[in-house]
């Protein structure tokens, strides 16, 4: 594979630029705390666990991020690929946590012969998990919330970085080594609280190997997408590291069937990158994959209660009613319709809605040349 040879060559050059693992001397729950990770100092043929010191809260309380590293045979650090798995950058998106845990449980039995390295961050945003919502809370200026998946590669403390910006900076530079320690990145999500989907992904086909990576997922919906500035996926892409964002089911639950599917996906990727051995090549099954370039959101102009008329992944036609919005007395305030022929991609699980709230997203392929690399369209399509 051309990707393998070119990325391995680049990684070999960059590997020497990363400083040694910097242990703080602290131990948390029996796990050593580090300021910086250097894969060359991680024991070979072992799964190692660390906490990364990633900044402090107001009052000086430290922030620690759990890191797992499965480093294969000694020579594979130079000859093999390096894969990153990150999860729960949004604190209510918990299906991904179990994916990372299960992969590393599996790697315990494979690491002795592993041809490469896997880095896992099961909870990127522990603040969000503690608060039971997606964002990072910063106490300054009477408190405000930050979407950490919009601030990568972060800002150093010496440059005035806030808590979430410093968290992103420390992960980007002190775990991923400013990409020198990552050849392929997979960032795992669910939709945030209130929305329901099946298994899907964002993928920027403009970078080589991203299309292959997305198809290996075998998602229900594959969204061709130019990415979101400051997200993990897009920041990796900007630095020429193939990456996708995987979205899996509902927030705040562990959906075992979707977890199984994503664990299988990661295993396909590890085989495809020759990290784990296989006697055959991986050919993804795309027979049930809906590949689209456009998401079209439909919004309510009223507050009330959404009555869903179409379920997730059901086909729709242009002008078809997809939801009613009812007032507290049950009267229909508006009926919203599909903007195009396509498929109901995401619909609200929480029936209460405020003005401007989404009643559903339709996935389809736009013929507009401007959408060739992906579009997300917002705007109501209504009939009264």
């Amino acid at each position: 594979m051309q990707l393998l040879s070119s990325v391995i060559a680049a990684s070999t050059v960059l590997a020497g630029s990363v400083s040694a693992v910097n242990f703080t001397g602290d131990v948390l729950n029996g796990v050593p705390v580090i300021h910086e990770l250097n894969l060359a100092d991680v024991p070979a043929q072992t799964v190692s666990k660390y906490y990364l010191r990633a900044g402090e809260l107001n009052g000086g309380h430290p922030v620690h991020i759990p890191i797992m590293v499965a480093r294969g045979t000694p020579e594979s650090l130079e000859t093999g690929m390096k894969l990153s798995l990150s999860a729960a950058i949004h604190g209510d998106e918990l299906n991904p946590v179990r994916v990372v845990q299960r992969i590393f449980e599996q790697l315990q039995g494979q690491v002795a012969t592993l041809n490469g390295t896997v880095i896992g961050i099961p909870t990127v945003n522990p603040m969000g998990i503690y608060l039971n919502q997606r964002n990072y809370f910063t106490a300054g200026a009477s408190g405000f919330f930050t979407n950490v998946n919009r601030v990568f590669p972060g800002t150093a403390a010496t440059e005035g970085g806030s808590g979430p910006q410093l968290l992103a900076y420390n992960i980007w530079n002190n775990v991923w080594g400013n990409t020198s320690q990552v050849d392929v990145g997979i960032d795992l999500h669910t939709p945030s609280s209130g929305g329901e989907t099946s298994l899907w992904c964002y993928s920027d086909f403009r970078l080589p190997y991203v299309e292959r990576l997305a198809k290996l997922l075998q998602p229900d919906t594959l969204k061709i997408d130019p990415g979101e500035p400051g997200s993990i996926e897009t920041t990796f892409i900007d630095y020429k590291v193939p990456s996708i964002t995987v979205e899996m089911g509902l927030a705040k639950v562990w959906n075992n069937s979707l977890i199984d599917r994503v664990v299988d996906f990661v295993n396909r990727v590890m085989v495809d990158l020759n990290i784990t051995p296989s006697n055959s090549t991986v050919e993804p099954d795309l027979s049930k994959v809906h590949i689209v370039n456009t998401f079209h959101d439909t919004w309510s102009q009223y507050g009330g209660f959404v009555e869903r008329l179409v379920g997730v992944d059901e086909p729709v036609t242009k002008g078809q009613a997809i939801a009613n919005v009812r007032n507290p007395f049950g009267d229909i305030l508006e009926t919203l319709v599909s903007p195009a022929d396509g498929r109901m991609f995401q619909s609200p699980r929480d029936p209460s809605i405020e003005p401007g709230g989404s009643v559903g997203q339709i996935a389809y392929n736009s013929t507009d040349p401007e959408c060739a690399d992906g579009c997300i369209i917002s705007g109501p399509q209504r009939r009264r």
Side-chain angles (χ1 to χ4, degrees):
M1 183 188 300
Q2 185 176 3
L3 171 77
L4 291 175
S5 57
S6 60
V7 173
I8 288 171
S11 300
T12 302
V13 172
L14 290 170
S17 65
V18 181
S19 59
V21 171
N22 184 345
F23 289 92
T24 67
D26 297 332
V27 175
L28 180 62
N29 298 327
V31 175
V33 179
I34 63 173
H35 279 305
E36 188 172 1
L37 178 71
N38 177 15
L39 293 180
D41 291 340
V42 175
Q45 299 175 294
T46 302
V47 172
S48 300
K49 299 176 182 178
Y50 306 101
Y51 276 107
L52 175 75
R53 177 73 176 263
E56 298 81 33
L57 304 178
N58 60 326
H61 190 78
V63 175
H64 294 104
I65 308 299
I67 309 293
M68 294 185 281
V69 181
R71 183 183 163 191
T73 60
E75 65 276 8
S76 70
L77 190 60
E78 286 72 40
T79 62
M81 299 289 284
K82 298 180 286 293
L83 173 67
S84 170
L85 306 174
S86 51
I89 193 170
H90 297 136
D92 56 349
E93 301 180 6
L94 301 182
N95 266 331
V97 176
R98 187 60 187 140
V99 173
V100 178
Q101 291 172 344
R102 281 186 49 186
I103 288 295
F104 277 83
E105 290 168 1
Q106 169 193 318
L107 289 173
Q108 289 277 6
Q110 297 175 304
V111 70
T113 58
L114 207 63
N115 179 37
T117 305
V118 183
I119 299 173
I121 311 177
T123 56
V124 172
N125 181 8
M127 173 69 80
I129 293 174
Y130 173 72
L131 294 174
N132 200 31
Q133 55 86 49
R134 67 188 271 118
N135 296 305
Y136 187 109
F137 177 75
T138 301
S142 299
F144 59 93
F145 291 98
T146 298
N147 182 348
V148 188
N149 207 36
R150 297 296 182 270
V151 300
F152 276 81
T155 305
T158 55
E159 300 297 323
S162 64
Q165 293 169 333
L166 184 58
L167 184 150
Y169 177 88
N170 282 320
I171 291 174
W172 182 260
N173 292 281
N174 297 337
V175 177
W176 294 329
N178 193 20
T179 74
S180 67
Q181 303 198 117
V182 179
D183 297 323
V184 174
I186 299 172
D187 192 32
L188 302 170
H189 294 246
T190 76
S192 288
S193 299
E196 179 183 13
T197 67
S198 50
L199 179 62
W200 61 282
C201 67
Y202 288 115
S203 52
D204 189 342
F205 281 14
R206 295 173 296 180
L207 186 68
Y209 195 67
V210 171
E211 180 176 354
R212 170 73 174 172
L213 191 61
K215 289 179 177 178
L216 285 170
L217 176 62
Q218 300 175 179
D220 299 297
T221 300
L222 192 166
K223 172 63 166 69
I224 301 170
D225 195 81
E228 201 61 66
S231 68
I232 288 175
E233 172 210 348
T234 300
T235 307
F236 272 137
I237 294 290
D238 288 344
Y239 283 76
K240 308 305 180 185
V241 173
S243 180
I244 64 170
T245 296
V246 175
E247 305 269 1
M248 42 189 307
L250 290 167
K252 298 185 181 179
V253 297
W254 275 358
N255 181 317
N256 287 330
S257 64
L258 291 182
I259 290 169
D260 287 346
R261 288 178 66 183
V262 178
V263 167
D264 289 345
F265 157 63
V266 175
N267 276 297
R268 287 192 290 272
V269 172
M270 290 193 294
V271 168
D272 203 53
L273 297 177
N274 296 324
I275 294 174
T276 51
S278 176
N279 294 324
S280 59
T281 58
V282 179
E283 293 301 329
D285 180 2
L286 303 179
S287 60
K288 298 180 180 179
V289 178
H290 190 49
I291 301 176
V292 301
N293 63 15
T294 301
F295 284 166
H296 200 137
D297 215 346
T298 308
W299 306 87
S300 172
Q301 62 181 326
Y302 299 102
F305 299 89
V306 178
E307 178 186 20
R308 302 194 307 175
L309 303 178
V310 179
V312 169
D313 288 339
E314 291 184 11
V316 294
T317 57
K318 184 175 182 179
Q320 177 182 340
I322 60 173
N324 294 322
V325 176
R326 295 180 180 270
N327 68 16
F329 301 101
D331 305 318
I332 295 177
L333 300 174
E334 60 179 341
T335 297
L336 295 105
V337 302
S338 174
D341 294 346
R343 192 158 77 167
M344 175 62 76
F345 156 69
Q346 178 172 273
S347 65
R349 192 66 172 178
D350 183 349
S352 63
I353 194 169
E354 61 185 348
S358 174
V359 303
Q361 283 188 327
I362 307 302
Y364 63 95
N365 276 302
S366 172
T367 57
D368 186 340
E370 293 188 3
C371 290
D373 295 321
C375 285
I376 295 179
I377 300 172
S378 297
Q381 302 287 326
R382 298 184 176 85
R383 74 177 185 208
R384 291 300 301 270

